């Protein structure tokens, strides 16, 4: 298992250790909230049905109470022996709820129905021809011997009675069972609608908060055809529990998402820190190697020259060239490290002055030519006759071109061709260094400008370097108000272009350290 696979596995394990329980707990929380809401819903449905039955029964009781109150005179007269029209006359004057008094004889009673309300028979009936839209309601009348001699009662309009007595029924008859179901439901939280035979609303007590869990109960007896619909008001516990559950589920969901997002960012940060630690440790070993190699070569060449262990003056010349080349390489590396340290500390100062770009490129290329030729590179320099000057630090700009040339040389394989060109474009000067080397994948093209970053694929692995060159180039060019462009095709080569504003108004200034590796 490679170190990076191991790292990845550790991070995935940590991620799962946090994310999985979070998701499970959030899921359980949501499930629990929904179960509670469902339980309250089903309790409400049962309560509404119960209430609907209570309301219908209460109407019958209300009617019975009215009849009882009004029929006492007739009952007394019957017990005293009154019969026929004399008895019928005692039913007048009629109570205001009723319309026509009627004394039903024993024979007639077969045309009526009977309903037992509070253990008392309530006689009722309909006569669509003579009393359209009306119901008959009466109570049994007995004579002095206790024999039933008929029923005394009145024709009345059931719809009107229901509408008139809806509020009384709700307020006087039902509060005795105000709190049931452990106080969750209460009569104050139900809305009752009275529905006519055509299904239309005739009256209501409190507005409904929606038609969920609505219970419809038909009325019977003299109120046949009518119905009551009972449902929750907007302030009923089941209504606000539903709102509460929705808020709760949203809240738990958002909390779960926040934890997942925090885990994600935490893991990214940890991964980044681990990567940074790895990069830094490999940086130390890379720099040691980069320093040691030229020093060893220089020492070897100096010893050879000291002991005159060379066959001809040309061979001696070769060793001198090697010393010069390796010193230059060493110098460039030390420059890079020092500059990097200054940039990190915010102490890198640039001295801006008009820079003759053509002259700067020529001098840089000349100082590098020896290294290129020794490695067998063909160098093509393609420069125009004239270029506008750039305001900048000539030494820093030359260091940029040197770093690009060094990379072009390092990351070329068999095709040893390097090209340096420059051109003026729209008040800007573009300096390009191209090679026909290993190239860089589009994904890596963004990363290579971060400090310490070295690509770990392909040939790059064999090439030594400190991972500072491009980071420095990028920072220096940005301090000049420009930017670096890269175009590259893996396996075909790369072109790095420094784009600098021509003329410019840059002045001597320091630049702040950047935290590039963070991206
Ligand atoms: P170093 O060369 O010391 O590794 P740099 O910052 O100069 O550091 O470059 C960063 C990485 O970018 C290199 O390790 C290499 O992988 C890649 N790179 C830079 N220049 C080239 C190039 N011309 N061709 C291909 N890869 C390059």
């Amino acid at each position: 298992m490679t170190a990076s696979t191991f790292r990845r596995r550790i991070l995935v394990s940590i991620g799962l250790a946090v994310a999985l329980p979070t998701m499970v707990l959030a899921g359980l929380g949501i499930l629990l909230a929904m179960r509670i809401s469902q339980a309250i819903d089903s309790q409400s449905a049962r309560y509404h049905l119960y209430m609907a039955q209570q309301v219908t029964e209460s109407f019958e009781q209300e009617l019975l109470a009215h009849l009882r109150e009004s029929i006492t005179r007739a009952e007394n007269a019957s017990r005293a022996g009154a019969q026929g029209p004399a008895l019928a006359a005692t039913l007048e004057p009629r109570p205001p709820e009723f319309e026509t008094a009627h004394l039903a004889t024993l024979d007639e009673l077969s045309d009526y129905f009977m309903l037992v309300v509070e253990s008392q028979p309530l006689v009722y009936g309909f006569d669509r021809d003579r009393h359209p839209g009306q119901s008959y309601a009466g109570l049994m009348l007995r004579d002095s011997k206790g024999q039933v001699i008929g029923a005394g009662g009145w024709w009345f309009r059931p719809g009107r009675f229901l509408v008139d007595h809806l509020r009384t029924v709700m307020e006087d008859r039902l509060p005795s069972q105000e709190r049931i179901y452990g106080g969750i439901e209460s009569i104050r939280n139900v809305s009752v609608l009275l529905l006519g035979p055509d299904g239309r609303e005739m009256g209501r007590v409190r507005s409904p908060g929606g038609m969920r869990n609505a219970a419809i109960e038909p009325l019977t007896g003299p109120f046949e055809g009518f119905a009551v619909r009972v449902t929750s008001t907007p302030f009923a516990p089941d209504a606000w529990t539903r709102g509460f559950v929705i808020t709760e589920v949203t809240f738990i969901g958002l909390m779960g998402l926040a934890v997942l997002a925090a885990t994600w960012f935490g893991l990214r940060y940890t991964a980044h820190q681990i990567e940074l630690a790895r990069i830094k440790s490999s940086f130390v070993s890379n720099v040691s190697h980069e320093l040691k190699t030229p020093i060893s070569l220089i020492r070897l060449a100096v010893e050879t020259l000291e002991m005159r262990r060379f066959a001809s003056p040309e061979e001696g010349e070769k060793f001198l060239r090697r010393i010069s080349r390796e010193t230059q390489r060493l110098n460039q590396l030390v420059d890079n490290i020092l500059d990097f340290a200054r940039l990190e500390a915010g102490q890198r100062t640039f001295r801006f002055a008009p820079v003759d770009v053509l002259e700067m490129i020529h001098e840089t290329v000349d100082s590098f030519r020896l290294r290129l030729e020794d490695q067998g590179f063909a160098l093509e320099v393609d420069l125009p006759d004239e270029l506008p000057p750039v305001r900048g630090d000539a030494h820093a700009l030359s260091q940029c071109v040197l770093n690009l040339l060094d990379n072009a040389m390092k990351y070329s394989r068999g095709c040893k061709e390097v090209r340096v060109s420059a051109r003026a474009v729209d008040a800007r000067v573009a300096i390009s260094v191209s090679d026909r080397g290993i190239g860089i994948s589009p994904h890596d093209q963004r990363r290579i400008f971060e400090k310490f970053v070295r690509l770990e694929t392909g040939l790059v692995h064999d090439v030594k370097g400190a991972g500072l060159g491009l980071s420095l180039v990028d920072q220096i060019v940005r301090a000049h108000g420009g930017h670096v462009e890269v175009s590259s095709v893996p396996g075909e080569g790369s072109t790095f272009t420094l784009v600098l504003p021509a003329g410019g108004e840059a002045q001597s200034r320091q630049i702040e350290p950047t935290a590039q590796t963070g991206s």
Side-chain angles (χ1 to χ4, degrees):
M1 197 194 308
T2 63
S4 69
T5 320
F6 180 67
R7 270 199 312 275
R8 206 170 306 128
R9 281 198 186 165
I10 294 220
L11 290 176
V12 169
S13 313
I14 298 175
L16 286 181
V18 179
L20 217 60
T22 306
M23 274 155 64
V24 170
L25 287 178
L28 283 177
I30 290 172
L31 219 64
L32 194 69
M34 285 169 73
R35 286 300 294 271
I36 293 173
S37 162
Q38 271 170 8
I40 291 179
D41 261 8
S42 83
Q43 288 286 57
S44 298
R46 283 162 60 187
Y47 178 67
H48 293 152
L49 190 62
Y50 167 82
M51 277 308 301
Q53 287 162 356
Q54 292 291 307
V55 174
T56 53
E57 279 173 24
S58 299
F59 273 121
E60 287 158 7
Q61 290 163 7
E62 182 75 8
L63 178 63
L64 188 70
H66 275 70
L67 289 177
R68 255 201 229 116
E69 240 175 59
S70 316
I71 217 145
T72 324
R73 253 180 298 124
E75 267 177 349
N76 292 340
S78 169
R79 282 199 203 103
Q83 283 182 356
L87 183 59
T90 59
L91 291 171
E92 296 289 357
R94 58 180 172 79
E97 282 83 7
F98 305 116
E99 295 190 3
T100 319
H102 180 64
L103 182 71
T105 60
L106 263 184
D107 293 345
E108 266 181 79
L109 277 185
S110 57
D111 296 337
Y112 294 102
F113 308 97
M114 208 142 52
L115 183 75
V116 179
V117 181
E118 290 181 336
S119 319
Q120 195 166 347
L122 169 71
V123 178
Y124 73 94
F126 310 95
D127 184 344
R128 313 249 178 259
D129 300 329
R130 279 185 293 166
H131 298 281
Q134 295 190 10
S135 298
Y136 177 77
L139 291 178
M140 293 296 195
L141 288 178
R142 291 167 195 275
D143 60 15
S144 54
K145 294 182 201 113
Q147 293 291 316
V148 175
I149 56 156
W154 294 270
W155 288 97
F156 73 110
R157 296 196 179 269
R160 192 174 302 159
F161 184 90
L162 291 171
V163 173
D164 288 351
H165 292 86
L166 175 62
R167 201 153 284 280
T168 330
V169 159
M170 290 297 293
E171 283 167 10
D172 296 347
R173 296 205 170 266
L174 297 174
S176 52
Q177 304 120 9
E178 189 171 297
R179 295 184 78 78
I180 62 164
Y181 289 117
I184 291 178
E185 294 288 2
S186 127
I187 194 155
R188 286 191 302 270
N189 293 321
V190 292
S191 139
V192 176
L193 303 188
L194 199 61
L195 307 176
D198 54 359
R200 271 197 282 153
E201 183 189 326
M202 297 167 59
R204 62 166 64 182
V205 171
R206 293 181 212 102
S207 295
M211 280 302 155
R212 249 172 96 108
N213 294 332
I216 296 186
E217 188 70 8
L219 287 153
T220 52
F223 303 117
E224 210 176 87
F226 296 86
V228 290
R229 177 154 61 194
V230 178
T231 185
S232 312
T233 63
F235 310 104
D238 66 319
W240 62 254
T241 311
R242 216 168 299 127
F244 171 77
V245 166
I246 291 170
T247 316
E248 170 112 352
V249 166
T250 316
F251 183 66
I252 294 177
L254 285 177
M255 238 168 61
L257 281 182
V259 172
L260 287 184
T263 312
W264 166 249
F265 285 114
L267 286 179
R268 272 191 62 158
Y269 180 74
T270 312
H272 175 63
Q273 290 302 319
I274 294 176
E275 180 66 4
L276 208 62
R278 187 194 65 77
I279 283 174
K280 276 184 179 163
S281 83
S282 72
F283 169 73
V284 173
S285 81
N286 286 340
V287 167
S288 320
H289 180 276
E290 284 282 275
L291 288 171
K292 269 187 192 160
T293 314
I295 290 172
S296 315
L297 288 174
I298 291 168
R299 202 175 65 200
L300 199 72
V302 169
E303 277 172 14
T304 311
L305 287 175
E306 267 177 1
M307 293 179 181
R308 300 189 177 281
R309 273 194 265 147
F310 48 91
S312 60
E314 288 78 29
E315 211 184 329
E317 188 77 14
K318 216 174 87 189
F319 283 110
L320 278 176
R321 276 163 66 109
R322 182 176 293 170
I323 292 171
S324 159
R325 193 182 65 212
E326 294 304 324
T327 314
Q328 200 183 39
R329 187 172 149 192
L330 204 56
N331 191 44
Q332 191 186 338
L333 180 66
V334 171
D335 265 0
N336 274 355
I337 294 172
L338 289 180
D339 268 356
F340 175 75
R342 283 193 208 112
L343 279 169
E344 286 292 286
Q347 290 169 351
R348 176 68 160 98
T349 312
F350 295 103
R351 281 194 187 78
F352 286 92
V355 177
D356 182 337
V357 180
L358 288 176
E359 191 184 319
M360 184 275 288
I361 295 176
H362 276 302
E363 280 175 10
T364 313
V365 168
D366 284 346
S367 71
F368 202 77
R369 197 181 295 275
L370 196 66
R371 279 172 71 186
L372 281 169
E373 283 171 1
D374 276 358
Q375 301 281 324
F377 274 84
L379 174 66
E380 185 192 339
V381 181
D382 178 11
L383 298 175
D385 294 335
E386 264 186 23
L387 271 180
V390 161
R391 269 195 80 82
D393 185 318
H395 176 72
L397 292 177
S398 160
Q399 195 183 355
C400 292
V401 178
L402 264 183
N403 273 315
L404 295 184
L405 282 169
D406 192 40
N407 281 351
M409 206 174 84
K410 281 199 293 190
Y411 304 110
S412 282
R413 267 179 307 190
C415 197
K416 299 189 168 192
E417 288 172 21
V418 174
R419 182 169 184 271
V420 179
S421 61
R423 63 190 195 287
V425 209
D426 303 336
R428 281 180 297 184
V429 174
I431 306 167
S432 302
V433 176
S434 314
D435 62 63
R436 301 187 57 193
I438 60 172
I440 307 154
S441 70
H443 168 257
D444 288 330
Q445 287 173 21
R446 270 175 281 146
R447 292 177 55 225
I448 50 176
F449 293 98
E450 294 169 14
K451 60 194 174 191
F452 305 127
V453 167
R454 308 204 67 236
L455 305 182
E456 283 184 4
T457 49
L459 272 188
V460 190
H461 211 54
D462 311 328
V463 182
K464 286 291 165 192
L468 294 182
L470 287 182
S471 153
L472 272 177
V473 171
D474 185 54
Q475 293 198 58
I476 292 172
V477 171
R478 279 195 288 124
H480 282 72
H483 66 273
V484 188
E485 287 172 2
V486 57
S487 83
S488 181
V489 179
E492 289 185 19
S494 317
T495 297
F496 286 84
T497 305
L498 314 180
V499 182
L500 297 158
E505 291 180 14
Q507 290 157 9
S508 182
R509 56 176 153 153
Q510 286 189 340
I511 65 167
E512 294 297 318
T514 52
Q516 301 174 41
T517 344
S519 57

